[in-house]
Amino acid sequence: MTGRHLALAAAMDFEAFFEPGQAPHVNVVVGTVGAPTIRAIKDAVVILLPKDMADQVVDSPMTMFLHLFALGHEIAHLVHQHLHGASGQPIEDYRGLEMWADFYGAKVAMALVTYGGTIHRLTADFYPGETNKFTCLKDVGDALGRLAETWYADPSPRYASRLVRVGLAYNGIMSFLRHHLGPEFENHLYESVFRVIYRSDTLAKFVILEGESVTVDEEPIHRSALWHRDMQGDAAALIPGFRPELLNILHTTFDQTEEEIEESRAKRLKELRDAGFDV
């Protein structure tokens, strides 16, 4: 399977996450770009895939996850209508939407390997006979390490630092697991998943070299929440129609009040402290 075939399968699987007739069209085309991106072409928004990525043979789970995180990021932009008003957008808003796409895109990637018809079968082929549902997380860590070396290393102020971007992907993975596992989710998974993902040689190196200098600016995240809320307006969601089993995982609803957001944030912080993190 090539990157182009994987991207087309991921697009079809994502569209199948919606009720009949409700799915947005996820159109993937190969273009002259250095990294995956979304563009408005005539009246359609498409995901442009670099030719070298489209031609790459996906012959390992690490390569598959690298592609899925990149594709998930662009699907996040597409379903949240991030091209709207992109021209002349303040850098703080742009960075906030990019940070959201890192977080939500990781949830898309994990949903595809878990619920996607074709992508789930491909994932199972990479782990024949494996019964541990978290075995893939080492390959996830290796994929995020590779992204940290390449696309996440962009020094532009429009993007967060590479370790923050990896952290946003980790948060997306944990958000997916909380909703996917439901009552079976236990707080110790925060640390267990963290240890497996950050065991990657590349990520471990970056944590040693750059970890102490990492700061997380919450202002772009706050601006992103306001941007999405304004975009949603009085609608039920930015993109409605997810099937019930995917709704809690991938909803595009931003109706929470400031008080509800703070309550949710406090709950996550307590979970992290209970799991042994110093936050």
Side-chain angles (χ1 to χ4, degrees):
M1 177 179 281
T2 65
R4 180 176 182 274
H5 293 134
L6 179 68
L8 293 174
M12 291 182 63
D13 279 357
F14 184 80
E15 290 181 9
F17 289 166
F18 292 81
E19 299 285 4
Q22 297 293 306
H25 182 42
V26 182
N27 188 12
V28 181
V29 298
V30 179
T32 308
V33 289
T37 188
I38 59 167
R39 296 274 175 82
I41 298 179
K42 295 184 179 179
D43 295 328
V45 176
V46 304
I47 296 176
L48 289 181
L49 203 65
K51 188 175 185 306
D52 58 348
M53 185 177 174
D55 293 340
Q56 185 177 18
V57 176
V58 181
D59 55 2
S60 72
M62 187 280 285
T63 303
M64 178 192 70
F65 279 112
L66 188 152
H67 281 242
L68 290 179
F69 276 105
L71 292 166
H73 180 100
E74 301 310 322
I75 289 173
H77 283 316
L78 188 150
V79 300
H80 289 86
Q81 305 176 41
H82 285 172
L83 280 186
H84 182 81
S87 178
Q89 194 174 58
I91 283 180
E92 292 80 5
D93 282 347
Y94 191 107
R95 185 163 61 245
L97 298 186
E98 288 295 332
M99 293 170 75
W100 179 257
D102 286 335
F103 167 77
Y104 189 90
K107 295 207 290 184
V108 170
M110 300 309 292
L112 287 169
V113 302
T114 306
Y115 295 97
T118 300
I119 302 301
H120 177 73
R121 288 193 296 273
L122 175 62
T123 305
D125 287 343
F126 280 127
Y127 303 100
E130 183 56 60
T131 58
N132 183 345
K133 65 180 72 175
F134 300 121
T135 298
C136 69
L137 291 176
K138 179 185 181 301
D139 295 306
V140 167
D142 289 339
L144 290 173
R146 181 61 181 151
L147 286 169
E149 290 180 311
T150 54
W151 294 324
Y152 286 4
D154 191 324
S156 168
R158 297 181 302 173
Y159 301 98
S161 69
R162 59 181 155 201
L163 282 182
V164 170
R165 297 190 69 178
V166 171
L168 289 164
Y170 163 79
N171 288 343
I173 292 166
M174 296 311 302
S175 176
F176 168 82
L177 289 175
R178 281 201 311 272
H179 294 296
H180 171 62
L181 294 176
E184 296 180 22
F185 182 87
E186 297 177 354
N187 287 348
H188 72 81
L189 289 174
Y190 283 107
E191 183 179 14
S192 300
V193 173
F194 182 91
R195 287 185 180 278
V196 175
I197 289 177
Y198 282 84
R199 194 176 296 159
S200 155
D201 291 342
T202 302
L203 291 183
K205 176 186 70 176
F206 287 141
V207 168
I208 292 171
L209 294 176
E210 304 172 12
E212 291 186 0
S213 64
V214 170
T215 58
V216 180
D217 181 4
E218 294 192 4
E219 177 62 17
I221 299 173
H222 181 67
R223 292 174 69 109
S224 171
L226 295 177
W227 188 96
H228 287 114
R229 195 178 301 164
D230 288 343
M231 176 63 70
Q232 181 182 336
D234 295 329
L238 282 173
I239 298 290
F242 278 108
R243 293 184 351 228
E245 66 270 33
L246 276 305
L247 181 58
N248 281 341
I249 296 171
L250 296 174
H251 70 85
T252 59
T253 305
F254 295 85
D255 290 338
Q256 283 185 308
T257 64
E258 295 294 330
E259 291 76 16
E260 289 171 331
I261 291 172
E262 183 55 35
E263 181 181 349
S264 176
R265 180 174 180 272
K267 182 179 179 180
R268 295 287 87 81
L269 286 174
K270 183 180 185 305
E271 289 177 351
L272 287 169
R273 292 188 184 108
D274 291 345
F277 285 92
D278 182 16
V279 293

